[in-house]
Amino acid sequence: MTAQDSIQGARLLGDPGRLTALRDLGAHAHTVNSFALRLAMAAAGEYDAVVAVRPKWDWDLLAGHMLIEEAGGLITGKSP
């Protein structure tokens, strides 16, 4: 995990085509199709955060959630 605390300069991963607004705020936003891989890359400290705007399934979250928590990170979400 990283100590990045602002969107300006943050290295983010997200869904393809959904990161334009974050880039406009100064984030370095990249796309990776696999949500589980995004979580693993954030847990390894390669990225500061993962952004998801579509619902995810248990199999997308389980292993990545554990990796994030073991690395000292936090998973948050808001249900529709």
Side-chain angles (χ1 to χ4, degrees), residues 13-19 23 30-34 38 53-54:
L13 285 171
D15 294 326
R18 307 229 182 225
L19 300 172
R23 287 185 188 111
H30 304 278
T31 61
V32 171
N33 285 330
S34 168
R38 286 185 231 157
V53 295
R54 295 182 295 206

Side-chain angles (χ1 to χ4, degrees), residues 2-12 48-49:
T2 69
Q4 180 70 23
D5 64 356
S6 75
I7 197 75
Q8 182 69 32
R11 297 167 300 155
L12 307 178
D48 301 308

